[in-house]
Amino acid sequence: MKKQSWVFLVGLLGFVALAAFASRSYWMGGNAAAQAPQRPRAVSVTLATAERRQVPVDVDANGIVTPISSVALKSRLETTIVAVHFEDGAKVNEGDLLFTLDSRQIDAQIEQAEGTLAKDQAQLEGALRDLRRYTDLVAKGATTQVNLDNAKTQSDTLTAAIKADQAVIENLKVQKSYTQIRAPFSGRISVANVKVGNFVRPADVQPLAVINQMAPVYVTFSVPQRVLVDLREAMAKSGSRVIATIPGRQSSEEGKVAMVENAVDAATGMITVRGIMDNGNETLWPGTLVSTKLIIRTEESVVVPTIAVQRSQSGNFVFVVKDGIAKVQPVTIDRTFQGHSVISEGLSGDESVVTDGQLLLSDGARVEPRGKKAGA
């Protein structure tokens, strides 16, 4: 019985040792497989192409719309308003009748002056008859030279009086023309500050109404003095443009540079520029604040989406992808334009740059364009 127990114990120990050996071999094989080098997993990224194209050189600024012509209508006479011929805020054309003033007093003065003229003309006719008669008598020796000279003086005096009478009438007619106030140019008129029956005079501070020219209009803004040389060259070639946009609206107007101020503001280093816009649809209203873009010229440049540009302590860079490998490429940014950055140094065009997924990248990392299964 003891011998059988011993045999059973030896067999059991051998089975346990065999199982332990197999278990050790299994776990060692698993660790070896886990520690074997694996191929790095590719990073999924979005790519864009660096393009070489014509890009405008522009300057953004805030501007204000100002009318080319603006006139405050005032009376030149002391009289009353008898008629208003427009609606408040209406569009008026050049020559339209706007106000009619009382002209009865001037009409009476014109009639009086015309009567004086008729009297002097009649007297002149008599003086001329006397002059002719005395001329004949002097030739016959029937009268003295003094009488002839006096007749000639009288005719000359009346001739001068007639000229004065005619001048008085012309002046009164001019005064009467002031009783009809017309639009000096086309535009939009303000509210009428006076109505029918109001007494007006030249000394009044408040105008009868104000007319602003609406088309074309000026847009006035300021730009840094560093662009002055390029701007003047562009103006000489008629290559500069101005785009004015109302903030929050898609509507805009395009025009050209009409004037550059003759001096730079020494306090700010800015210079005033004025653009002229056709504004045929009256998109721009006098006094409106607008966003302006001064386009000086266009030039060929390399551009990439601005989101592709990364920043570090050493400067700006982009990830350039070639043969599935991302490389860090330092770049120099000249300016930005409509969501793109203009590259002056670092890229030549046609390179593939990463626009999304840069946070997982490092120099030399494998990448997979998004749309394919990464690591496939």
Side-chain angles (χ1 to χ4, degrees):
M1 185 66 181
K2 293 181 177 181
K3 183 177 181 181
Q4 293 177 349
S5 299
W6 173 255
V7 173
F8 175 79
L9 180 60
V10 172
L12 180 61
L13 292 175
F15 177 79
V16 172
L18 181 62
F21 177 78
S23 176
R24 181 174 181 275
S25 299
Y26 173 80
W27 288 108
M28 289 183 64
N31 291 337
Q35 295 173 359
Q38 294 183 349
R39 186 180 182 184
R41 183 179 181 86
V43 179
S44 176
V45 296
T46 301
L47 300 179
T49 302
E51 299 178 328
R52 179 174 287 276
R53 65 182 185 183
Q54 293 291 328
V55 180
V57 177
D58 54 27
V59 179
D60 293 328
N62 294 323
I64 185 170
V65 181
T66 55
I68 293 179
S69 298
S70 180
V71 61
L73 302 174
K74 300 186 71 174
S75 172
R76 297 187 180 186
L77 305 173
E78 291 189 0
T79 183
T80 56
I81 303 290
V82 297
V84 178
H85 303 280
F86 64 90
E87 295 182 359
D88 292 344
K91 188 174 182 179
V92 297
N93 298 316
E94 182 179 355
D96 285 353
L97 181 61
L98 304 176
F99 294 94
T100 299
L101 308 182
D102 187 4
S103 63
R104 291 174 297 176
Q105 182 178 0
I106 295 179
D107 290 337
Q109 291 174 347
I110 291 176
E111 290 182 1
Q112 181 181 5
E114 288 175 344
T116 302
L117 174 63
K119 181 189 69 173
D120 290 342
Q121 286 175 338
Q123 291 178 348
L124 176 61
E125 291 178 359
L128 291 175
R129 288 193 299 268
D130 291 342
L131 179 61
R132 289 192 296 269
R133 184 170 58 253
Y134 283 124
T135 301
D136 294 338
L137 293 174
V138 168
K140 296 177 182 179
T143 188
T144 64
Q145 184 66 34
V146 174
N147 291 333
L148 177 61
D149 293 340
N150 290 337
K152 189 176 185 306
T153 300
Q154 181 66 15
S155 64
D156 291 342
T157 301
L158 291 172
T159 300
I162 289 174
K163 289 183 178 180
D165 295 339
Q166 292 173 338
V168 170
I169 293 174
E170 291 299 323
N171 178 61
L172 290 172
K173 288 181 178 179
V174 172
Q175 296 295 316
K176 184 177 179 179
S177 68
Y178 297 157
T179 62
Q180 291 187 338
I181 300 177
R182 299 179 179 273
F185 51 81
S186 299
R188 284 199 176 269
I189 194 167
S190 67
V191 297
N193 295 319
V194 292
K195 302 299 181 181
V196 175
N198 286 118
F199 180 79
V200 292
R201 56 184 179 176
D204 290 339
V205 176
Q206 187 180 42
L208 308 181
V210 177
I211 301 178
N212 287 331
Q213 184 176 349
M214 301 297 294
V217 294
Y218 285 140
V219 173
T220 305
F221 55 96
S222 297
V223 297
Q225 62 181 8
R226 59 180 173 81
V227 306
L228 179 57
V229 175
D230 291 340
L231 176 58
R232 294 188 61 194
E233 292 177 354
M235 291 178 62
K237 300 177 182 178
S238 300
S240 59
R241 293 183 294 137
V242 178
I243 299 175
T245 305
I246 300 176
R249 302 294 299 272
Q250 298 298 324
S251 55
S252 62
E253 287 287 334
E254 182 174 332
K256 62 180 181 180
V257 176
M259 183 275 295
V260 177
E261 189 56 82
N262 61 357
V264 177
D265 189 338
T268 62
M270 307 290 282
I271 188 167
T272 300
V273 179
R274 178 176 287 172
I276 185 170
M277 311 290 179
D278 290 337
N279 200 35
N281 297 326
E282 296 186 354
T283 302
L284 305 178
W285 212 258
T288 303
L289 297 176
V290 294
S291 300
T292 62
K293 184 180 292 293
L294 172 62
I295 300 177
I296 300 175
R297 65 179 184 276
T298 58
E299 59 185 16
E300 188 177 81
S301 304
V302 177
V303 298
V304 298
T306 301
I307 57 176
V309 180
Q310 304 295 299
R311 292 167 178 79
S312 66
Q313 293 181 349
S314 58
N316 297 318
F317 68 92
V318 296
F319 283 104
V320 176
V321 176
K322 186 176 182 180
D323 299 330
I325 303 298
K327 295 290 185 180
V328 173
Q329 176 61 49
V331 294
T332 301
I333 307 299
D334 183 54
R335 62 187 184 279
T336 59
F337 171 75
Q338 295 182 352
H340 289 74
S341 294
V342 179
I343 308 299
S344 59
E345 295 181 5
L347 298 176
S348 59
D350 295 331
E351 295 93 344
S352 295
V353 296
V354 179
T355 58
D356 188 27
Q358 297 97 322
L359 293 178
L360 301 176
L361 292 181
S362 59
D363 193 18
R366 293 182 63 251
V367 298
E368 186 73 22
R370 197 158 289 170
K372 298 181 181 180
K373 186 177 179 181

